[in-house]
Structures are given as structure tokens and as C-alpha cells.
């Protein structure tokens, strides 16, 4: 059976169903033989007003190159590309994290390309929202509304979560209205799923379905532990495997958006791999969790802190890490200029080093077209191995060039590419067709831009 990973925002194809909020517990604890039975109702009554519905609408614009053979029939003044516009509507969930300022967190994919965003509150009010900023790589967006009598959800320290802790998911699946489900934390630090560029997910078996994107995952104290973002859905519905972005990661990104209007992603400057049993045995280590450093980039934050190839990074700010993907996600979300304490194993000895993170430069979709017309629609940034493609706009010239999200540009013709600066310099002097050398997973290939 093919396993499908699915984002959770729901497309609205027809008239939306309007139903009362669904909560699977009684409003008050039930008394049997004079004793009150356990219930989540008192906690939910306090926090459910802070979980909202996010309704979006807009126009999806796609561009497609018109083949020369077709342009011939329309004359010399025929356009080089065909532009199509398609109206869309969508539905997701959101969480109020600051009642006074009206800040609401949701997923980037819920509001992506939206022209109008409306927030539906649990008391029936509908309020227009303003997009403050978003981050496509971590799938987080920050909205703001102006309204009185709002409720908010306080956050917990998601680094304190343990597998087996109880979790409660709140959202608006399938447009039914507010729904509450419960379960446990099934796993921590999930990555390598191909859902987002930055993955460090909480996995839960609390039932999550389409429309829950941006909704809250809370603990039994009603504190936010994560933002629901995706599910494993072989048949399109819940099978007990859902993923949430940890609350600490969310707040690190939101703080950057509030301060700068964007995420200024941090970068350590190392290439590495997960520490496996063979490596641990070879180095005589008891631990099997951490990141083995294969390479340290010159003049990077890691290089300046004295980190060497062969070191093993085992913790970030005194919190153990399990994988290279978890290290990358935590470093990126902490932001450029942040001071980070890393726990290392160096030549068999444990030590700590303080690192001031560098900034990962990124080229937005519009400006990528200035490098080459057939790169228009690609979002680019400096990566560890070359220039990473972090997003591709549907129907764009970049998509027509068969470029994909996650590709790494490592060469142009016979020239090696390591940074956006070198890519820009080489493409500036190239005329006619150029061949991009691409690293896609473990495969090397060439794509020709004409």
C-alpha cells in the first residue's frame, strides 16, 4: 500500500457545512456514586476559544511557456508565455498566541497565495486578518486581527516532551467546526519525511484530518506543545499518524517575524550525517544519538567556534539531539546572530562550545528570475553543498525547467557552484543555453536552461 503524506488544509469545493462545535466530552465532570469522573472538559472550556478557523480565498496565477510552433500561428507579436488565473478558496485552523495584539499562528500552506484571509472565532464573529509574515520552509505563518475579548493559549517548553505524554488536538477538520481529539505523543524529532525543508516533528496518534492545519496540539494543562501540520494518509483520512511543529520552534520563528518581518535563518556551516551504530563503535562511544561532522565550511560559524571534522555534536543548548535533521531544524529556527551552546565529543572527550550563528542568505522567487529567466518561480538559498531550491511556484518557468523543491544546484556547465554569489556571477556572463548540474537526493543530473 502506498503511503501518502498529506498537508491538512482543506480546499472548499462547495458550500461549507455549518455545524455546532463538536467536543467529545461532557461540559461538566460526570458524577457516579458521588465521585466525579475524569474529564478534559474544564481544561477545554478555557482554551478552545483560542483555536480559530482560517478561511482564505485568492487567485492562483500560473505561467506556461508557449512553444515556438504555436507562436508561429499567432504572429510575431504573440506572447512568449501563457498566463492562467484560477480562483480558489481554502480552509484551515489557527491558534491565538497573543490576545492583546491579536496574533494568530497557522501554517504557511494554509494562507499561501491568499488575497483575503478571514478568521472565524468560536463566538461566531468573522474578522479580517492581516498577514504579518510566513516561512515556507518550516510551514509557519503569523496573522494579526483586531478584535476584543480574545482568548490565547500559553505555550509549554516542548523540549520537555516525552514519548507517552498525553496530547489533545484541536482544529476544524473538513469544515465541520471545532473538533477535539486526544491521544499520546508517539515519537519526537521526526524528520526525513519530505513534508517540509525543516523537519523536527512531534508525532501523535490523536486523530487529525484535513482542515486541522494550523490547529493546536496541547498537553493536559491546556498548554500549546505544537502546531498540527501533516498526516500520513494512505486513504486520505486519519490513520493515527499525525505531525506537529514543536511550540519552541514555532515561537523562535514567530519572534523573528515580529522583529524583522521575515525569518532570518541561522546556519552553522557544517555538513554531517546521523551517528549510527557503526560510527559509534568505531569511535568507542556509548551513545548512538547525535551528528557526525563530515566537513566544516571555512569562515563559517562552526569554523570560528573551533568545531572540526570528526567531531560529534550531541546537544543544542543542553538538549540532546538525535539526528542531523534535528540539528539543522533547531539551528535554522533559532535565527541568525543567536548564541548557541553545542555539546561535542572531540577526540573522545566531551566539551561545550559557544557559537554565534551565521545567516543563511535566500533569494526570493521573483528575484531568482533575474539570474536566469527559466529560474523565475524558484526560491533559492545558500546550502551546505550548493544552492538549495526551497520552493517552486506551480506553472512557473522554473517548474517548466523540471526543477524541483529540494534540488541542490552544484554546478553550471563545468563550473562548480557553492553559493548564490558564485551562481549569480557565472550566470551573468553566460549566453544561450546553460546546463545546471543538480544533486537530487543521491542522484546527479543535468538540466538545460534555454
Amino acid at each position: 500500500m502506498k503511503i501518502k503524506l498529506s498537508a491538512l488544509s482543506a480546499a472548499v469545493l462547495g458550500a461549507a457545512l455549518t455545524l455546532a462545535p463538536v467536543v467529545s466530552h461532557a461540559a461538566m465532570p460526570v458524577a457516579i456514586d458521588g465521585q466525579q469522573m475524569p474529564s478534559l472538559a474544564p481544561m477545554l472550556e478555557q482554551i478552545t476559544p483560542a483555536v480559530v478557523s482560517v478561511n482564505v480565498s485568492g487567485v492562483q496565477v500560473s505561467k506556461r511557456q508557449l512553444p515556438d510552433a504555436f507562436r508561429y500561428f499567432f504572429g510575431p507579436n504573440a506572447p512568449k508565455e501563457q498566463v492562467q488565473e484560477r480562483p480558489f478558496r481554502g480552509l484551515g485552523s489557527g491558534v491565538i498566541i497573543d490576545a492583546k495584539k491579536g496574533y494568530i499562528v497557522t501554517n504557511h500552506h494554509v494562507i499561501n497565495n491568499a488575497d483575503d484571509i478571514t478568521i472565524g472565532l468560536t463566538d461566531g464573529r468573522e474578522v479580517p486578518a492581516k498577514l504579518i509574515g510566513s516561512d515556507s520552509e518550516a510551514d509557519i505563518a503569523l496573522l494579526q486581527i483586531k478584535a476584543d475579548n480574545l482568548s490565547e493559549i500559553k505555550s509549554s517548553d516542548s523540549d520537555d516532551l516525552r514519548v507517552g505524554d498525553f496530547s489533545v488536538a484541536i482544529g476544524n477538520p473538513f469544515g465541520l467546526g471545532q473538533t477535539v481529539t486526544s491521544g499520546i505523543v508517539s515519537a519526537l524529532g521526526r524528520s526525513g519525511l519530505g513534508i517540509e525543508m525543516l523537519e523536527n516533528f512531534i508525532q501523535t496518534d490523536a486523530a487529525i484530518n484535513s482542515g486541522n492545519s494550523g490547529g493546536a496540539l496541547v498537553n493536559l494543562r491546556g498548554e500549546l506543545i505544537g502546531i498540527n501540520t501533516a498526516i500520513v494518509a494512505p486513504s486520505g483520512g486519519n490513520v493515527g499518524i499525525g505531525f506537529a511543529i514543536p511550540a519552541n520552534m514555532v515561537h523562535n520563528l514567530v519572534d523573528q517575524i515580529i522583529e524583522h518581518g521575515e525569518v532570518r535563518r541561522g546556519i552553522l556551516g557544517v555538513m554531517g550525517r546521523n551517528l549510527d551504530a557503526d560510527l559509534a563503535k568505531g569511535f568507542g562511544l556509548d551513545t548512538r544519538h547525535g551528528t557526525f561532522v563530515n566537513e566544516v565550511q571555512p569562515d563559517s560559524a562552526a569554523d570560528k567556534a573551533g568545531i572540526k571534522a570528526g567531531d560529534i555534536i550531541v546537544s543544542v543548548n543542553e538538549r540532546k539531539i538525535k539526528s542531523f535533521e534535528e540539528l539543522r531544524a533547531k539551528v535554522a529556527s533559532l535565527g541568525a546572530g543567536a548564541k548557541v551552546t553545542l555539546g561535542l565529543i572531540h577526540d573522545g572527550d566531551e566539551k561545550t562550545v559557544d557559537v554565534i550563528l551565521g545567516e543563511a542568505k535566500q533569494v526570493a522567487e521573483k528575484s531568482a528570475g533575474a539570474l536566469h529567466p527559466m529560474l523565475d518561480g524558484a526560491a533559492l538559498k545558500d546550502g551546505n553543498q550548493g544552492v538549495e531550491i526551497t520552493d517552486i511556484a506551480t506553472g512557473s518557468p522554473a517548474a517548466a525547467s523540471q526543477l524541483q523543491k529540494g534540488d541542490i544546484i552544484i554546478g553550471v556547465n563545468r563550473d562548480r557552484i557553492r553559493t548564490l554569489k558564485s551562481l549569480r556571477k557565472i550566470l551573468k556572463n553566460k549566453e544561450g543555453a546553460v546546463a545546471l548540474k543538480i544533486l537530487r537526493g543521491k542522484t546527479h543530473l543535468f538540466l538545460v536552461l534555454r
Side-chain angles (χ1 to χ4, degrees), residues 372-375 396-403 440 447-450:
H372 192 283
M374 295 308 292
L375 287 177
S396 66
S401 300
Q402 299 182 24
L403 291 167
R440 180 174 294 169
L447 294 178
V448 178
L449 305 184
R450 301 184 183 278

Side-chain angles (χ1 to χ4, degrees), residues 8 10 91 93 170-180 207-212:
L8 304 177
L91 175 66
S93 305
I170 311 171
N172 297 279
F174 302 113
L176 292 172
Q178 195 174 87
T179 301
V180 177
I208 297 173
N209 288 286
S210 294
N212 272 105

